[in-house]
């Protein structure tokens, strides 16, 4: 397990250049100088997408920089807290714990206290009961005999609780989920969650640009694996 120094280490552009001048050049010109300035997504959205990808892939070396950038670009401490909580379910508890270890110190540095964080059990958003009934029936019919426990927790913990927590807007919660799925190569889950994201207000242009952002932060193969699925979702919503 990495020690505390490793978890909180941040590379400067000079550090990168000392090993790979080409990587430093790409970072400065393509990533910082171009990608982050593209107008199709706000800087805030780019921070949300990037944090989701880093947590999903447990890429802790970059987290301190991007957590601070997220705070500077308007992502609230409560929203960062909720992103970590959400991704515990979608990428595993250990990944969330690594993120907690980094974010805890940044929150302390910035004087972010408990009063700025979400309640453990807040008043939940209203449940769309017809939609949830359809989802639950489909999952139960397909997988109830395979794992009753998974089906139970999917309904009771995820869709009747986690997804209804109010400190991360449904559109942003969906954006986090889709970003994490693409970043970890979970293409089978993209169709449902991208459709849900667009139902929650994510536009086609924003979803398209999220792919561009993710190409740099989880690699071209992950994005190209996801693009046929995204293409099908886009096509289905034009009919």
């Amino acid at each position: 397990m990495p020690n505390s120094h490793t978890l909180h280490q941040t590379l400067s552009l000079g550090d990168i250049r000392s090993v790979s001048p080409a990587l430093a050049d790409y970072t400065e010109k393509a990533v910082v100088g171009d990608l982050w300035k593209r107008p199709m997504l706000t800087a805030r959205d780019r921070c949300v997408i990037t944090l989701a990808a880093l947590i999903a892939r447990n890429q802790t070396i970059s987290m301190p920089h991007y957590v601070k950038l997220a705070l500077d670009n308007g992502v609230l401490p409560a929203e960062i807290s909720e992103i970590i909580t959400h991704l515990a379910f979608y990428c595993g508890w250990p990944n969330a714990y690594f993120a907690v270890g980094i974010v805890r110190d940044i929150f302390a540095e910035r004087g972010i206290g408990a009063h700025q964080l979400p309640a453990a059990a807040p008043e939940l958003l209203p449940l769309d009961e017809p939609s949830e009934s359809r989802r639950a029936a489909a999952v139960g019919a397909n997988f109830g005999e395979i794992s009753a426990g998974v089906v139970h927790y999917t309904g009771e913990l995820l869709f009747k609780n986690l997804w209804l927590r109010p400190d991360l807007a449904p559109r942003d919660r969906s954006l986090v989920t889709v970003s994490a799925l693409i970043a970890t190569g979970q293409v089978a889950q993209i169709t449902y969650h991208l459709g849900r994201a667009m139902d929650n207000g994510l536009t086609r242009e924003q979803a398209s640009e999220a792919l561009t952002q993710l190409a740099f932060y989880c690699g071209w193969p992950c994005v190209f694996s996801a693009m046929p699925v995204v293409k099908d979702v886009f096509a289905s919503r034009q009919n």
Side-chain angles (χ1 to χ4, degrees), residues 101-239:
I102 291 166
V103 173
R104 173 194 59 196
D105 291 347
I106 294 170
F107 279 5
E109 288 170 9
R110 296 203 173 196
I112 295 168
H115 66 286
Q116 293 169 269
L117 302 181
E123 182 177 348
L124 299 177
L125 299 173
L127 176 67
D128 182 342
E129 294 189 8
S131 176
E132 172 55 19
S133 294
R134 290 191 297 271
R135 185 211 61 78
V139 171
N142 284 324
F143 304 117
E145 294 184 1
I146 304 301
S147 178
V150 170
V151 171
H152 167 73
Y153 287 123
T154 299
E156 296 305 311
L157 277 184
L158 270 69
F159 289 101
K160 292 183 180 179
N161 191 286
L162 179 71
W163 277 87
L164 303 178
R165 292 178 59 84
D167 288 283
L168 190 63
R171 180 259 192 196
D172 292 344
R173 198 174 286 279
S174 285
L175 181 59
V176 167
T177 308
V178 171
S179 299
L181 293 174
I182 294 170
T184 53
Q186 301 292 337
V187 295
Q189 300 294 313
I190 292 172
T191 299
Y192 172 79
H193 282 289
L194 179 56
R196 187 183 181 103
M198 296 178 80
D199 289 342
N200 284 332
L202 187 73
T203 68
R204 175 171 174 161
E205 181 183 56
Q206 291 166 343
S208 174
E209 187 64 14
L211 290 168
T212 307
Q213 182 78 7
L214 287 166
F216 286 87
Y217 286 91
C218 61
W220 260 247
C222 284
V223 168
F224 266 94
S225 295
M227 282 206 287
V229 182
V230 174
K231 180 181 179 181
D232 289 345
V233 173
F234 286 174
S236 72
R237 297 180 75 90
Q238 290 178 332
N239 299 330

